[in-house]
Coordinates of all heavy atoms in Angstrom, one line a residue:
F1 N 5.6 -3.9 3.8 CA 4.7 -3.7 4.9 C 4.4 -2.2 5.0 O 5.3 -1.4 5.1 CB 5.2 -4.2 6.2 CG 4.2 -4.2 7.3 CD1 3.5 -5.3 7.6 CD2 4.1 -3.0 8.1 CE1 2.5 -5.2 8.7 CE2 3.2 -3.0 9.1 CZ 2.4 -4.1 9.4
I2 N 3.1 -1.8 5.1 CA 2.7 -0.4 5.2 C 2.2 -0.2 6.6 O 1.1 -0.7 7.0 CB 1.6 0.0 4.2 CG1 2.0 -0.3 2.8 CG2 1.3 1.4 4.3 CD1 0.9 -0.2 1.7
S3 N 2.9 0.6 7.4 CA 2.4 1.0 8.7 C 1.6 2.3 8.5 O 2.2 3.3 8.0 CB 3.6 1.2 9.6 OG 3.2 1.7 10.9
G4 N 0.4 2.3 8.9 CA -0.5 3.4 8.7 C -1.3 3.3 7.4 O -1.6 4.2 6.7
V5 N -1.6 2.0 7.1 CA -2.2 1.7 5.8 C -3.6 2.3 5.6 O -4.1 2.5 4.5 CB -2.2 0.2 5.6 CG1 -3.2 -0.5 6.5 CG2 -2.5 -0.2 4.1
T6 N -4.3 2.6 6.7 CA -5.7 3.2 6.6 C -5.7 4.7 6.4 O -6.8 5.2 6.1 CB -6.5 2.8 7.8 OG1 -5.9 3.3 9.0 CG2 -6.6 1.3 7.9
G7 N -4.6 5.3 6.5 CA -4.6 6.8 6.3 C -4.6 7.1 4.8 O -4.5 6.3 3.9
R8 N -4.6 8.4 4.5 CA -4.7 8.9 3.1 C -3.5 8.4 2.3 O -3.7 7.8 1.2 CB -4.8 10.4 3.1 CG -5.0 11.0 1.7 CD -5.3 12.5 1.8 NE -4.3 13.2 2.5 CZ -3.2 13.8 1.9 NH1 -3.0 13.7 0.6 NH2 -2.4 14.5 2.7
I9 N -2.3 8.6 2.8 CA -1.1 8.2 2.0 C -1.0 6.7 2.0 O -0.6 6.1 1.0 CB 0.2 8.9 2.6 CG1 0.1 10.4 2.5 CG2 1.4 8.4 1.8 CD1 -0.1 11.0 1.1
G10 N -1.3 6.1 3.2 CA -1.2 4.6 3.3 C -2.1 3.9 2.2 O -1.7 2.9 1.6
R11 N -3.3 4.5 2.0 CA -4.2 3.9 1.0 C -3.7 4.1 -0.4 O -3.8 3.2 -1.3 CB -5.6 4.5 1.1 CG -6.3 4.0 2.3 CD -7.6 4.7 2.5 NE -8.3 4.5 3.7 CZ -9.5 4.0 3.9 NH1 -10.3 3.8 2.8 NH2 -10.0 3.8 5.1
I12 N -3.0 5.2 -0.7 CA -2.4 5.5 -2.0 C -1.3 4.5 -2.2 O -1.2 3.8 -3.3 CB -1.9 6.9 -2.1 CG1 -3.1 7.9 -2.2 CG2 -1.0 7.1 -3.4 CD1 -2.7 9.4 -2.0
L13 N -0.5 4.3 -1.2 CA 0.6 3.3 -1.3 C 0.1 1.9 -1.5 O 0.6 1.1 -2.4 CB 1.5 3.3 -0.1 CG 2.4 4.5 0.1 CD1 2.9 4.6 1.5 CD2 3.5 4.6 -0.9
L14 N -1.0 1.5 -0.8 CA -1.6 0.2 -0.9 C -2.0 0.0 -2.4 O -1.7 -1.1 -2.9 CB -2.8 0.1 0.0 CG -3.6 -1.1 -0.1 CD1 -2.8 -2.4 0.3 CD2 -4.8 -1.0 0.8
N15 N -2.7 0.9 -2.9 CA -3.2 0.8 -4.3 C -2.1 0.6 -5.3 O -2.1 -0.2 -6.2 CB -4.1 2.0 -4.7 CG -4.7 1.8 -6.0 OD1 -5.4 0.8 -6.3 ND2 -4.6 2.8 -6.9
K16 N -1.0 1.4 -5.1 CA 0.1 1.3 -6.1 C 0.8 0.0 -5.9 O 1.3 -0.6 -6.9 CB 1.1 2.5 -5.8 CG 0.5 3.8 -6.1 CD 0.1 4.0 -7.5 CE -0.4 5.4 -7.8 NZ -1.0 5.5 -9.1
I17 N 1.0 -0.5 -4.7 CA 1.7 -1.8 -4.5 C 0.9 -2.9 -5.1 O 1.4 -3.8 -5.8 CB 2.0 -2.0 -3.0 CG1 3.0 -1.0 -2.5 CG2 2.4 -3.5 -2.8 CD1 3.2 -1.0 -1.0
I18 N -0.4 -2.9 -4.9 CA -1.3 -4.0 -5.5 C -1.2 -4.0 -7.0 O -1.2 -5.0 -7.6 CB -2.8 -3.8 -5.0 CG1 -2.9 -4.2 -3.5 CG2 -3.7 -4.6 -5.9 CD1 -4.2 -3.9 -2.9
Q19 N -1.1 -2.8 -7.6 CA -1.0 -2.7 -9.1 C 0.4 -3.0 -9.7 O 0.5 -3.3 -10.9 CB -1.4 -1.3 -9.5 CG -2.8 -0.9 -9.3 CD -3.1 0.5 -9.7 OE1 -2.5 1.1 -10.5 NE2 -4.2 1.0 -9.2
D20 N 1.4 -3.0 -8.9 CA 2.8 -3.2 -9.4 C 3.2 -4.6 -9.3 O 3.3 -5.2 -8.3 CB 3.8 -2.3 -8.6 CG 5.1 -2.2 -9.2 OD1 5.6 -3.2 -9.7 OD2 5.7 -1.1 -9.1
P21 N 3.5 -5.2 -10.5 CA 3.8 -6.7 -10.5 C 5.2 -7.0 -9.9 O 5.5 -8.1 -9.6 CB 3.9 -7.0 -12.0 CG 4.1 -5.7 -12.7 CD 3.5 -4.6 -11.8
D22 N 6.0 -6.0 -9.6 CA 7.3 -6.2 -9.0 C 7.3 -6.1 -7.5 O 8.3 -6.3 -6.8 CB 8.3 -5.2 -9.6 CG 8.7 -5.5 -11.0 OD1 8.6 -6.6 -11.5 OD2 8.9 -4.5 -11.8
L23 N 6.1 -5.7 -7.0 CA 5.9 -5.6 -5.5 C 4.8 -6.5 -5.0 O 3.9 -6.9 -5.7 CB 5.6 -4.1 -5.2 CG 6.5 -3.0 -5.7 CD1 5.9 -1.7 -5.4 CD2 7.9 -3.2 -5.0
C24 N 4.9 -6.8 -3.7 CA 3.9 -7.6 -3.1 C 3.7 -7.1 -1.7 O 4.6 -6.5 -1.1 CB 4.1 -9.1 -3.1 SG 5.4 -9.7 -2.1
L25 N 2.5 -7.3 -1.1 CA 2.2 -6.9 0.2 C 2.6 -7.9 1.2 O 2.3 -9.1 1.1 CB 0.7 -6.7 0.3 CG 0.1 -5.5 -0.4 CD1 -1.4 -5.6 -0.4 CD2 0.5 -4.2 0.3
A26 N 3.3 -7.4 2.2 CA 3.7 -8.3 3.4 C 2.6 -8.1 4.4 O 2.4 -9.0 5.3 CB 5.0 -7.9 3.9
G27 N 2.0 -6.9 4.5 CA 1.0 -6.6 5.5 C 0.7 -5.1 5.6 O 1.4 -4.3 4.9
G28 N -0.2 -4.8 6.5 CA -0.5 -3.4 6.7 C -1.0 -3.3 8.2 O -1.7 -4.2 8.6
S29 N -0.7 -2.2 8.8 CA -1.2 -2.0 10.1 C -1.9 -0.6 10.3 O -1.6 0.3 9.5 CB -0.1 -2.1 11.2 OG 0.9 -1.1 11.0
A30 N -2.7 -0.5 11.3 CA -3.4 0.7 11.8 C -3.3 0.8 13.3 O -2.9 -0.2 13.9 CB -4.8 0.7 11.3

């Protein structure tokens, strides 16, 4: 889960998690 997903670092993390087959998204907040 990414808290602060809409910020600069949050968006970088979101992109990396989506691309990584060993990770999945539980959610994100702003």
Side-chain angles (χ1 to χ4, degrees):
F1 184 93
I2 305 170
S3 177
V5 72
T6 60
R8 188 171 51 92
I9 302 300
R11 288 177 189 232
I12 291 169
L13 289 168
L14 174 63
N15 186 52
K16 296 299 182 186
I17 292 167
I18 288 173
Q19 292 179 21
D20 192 319
D22 293 327
L23 302 175
C24 71
L25 289 169
S29 65

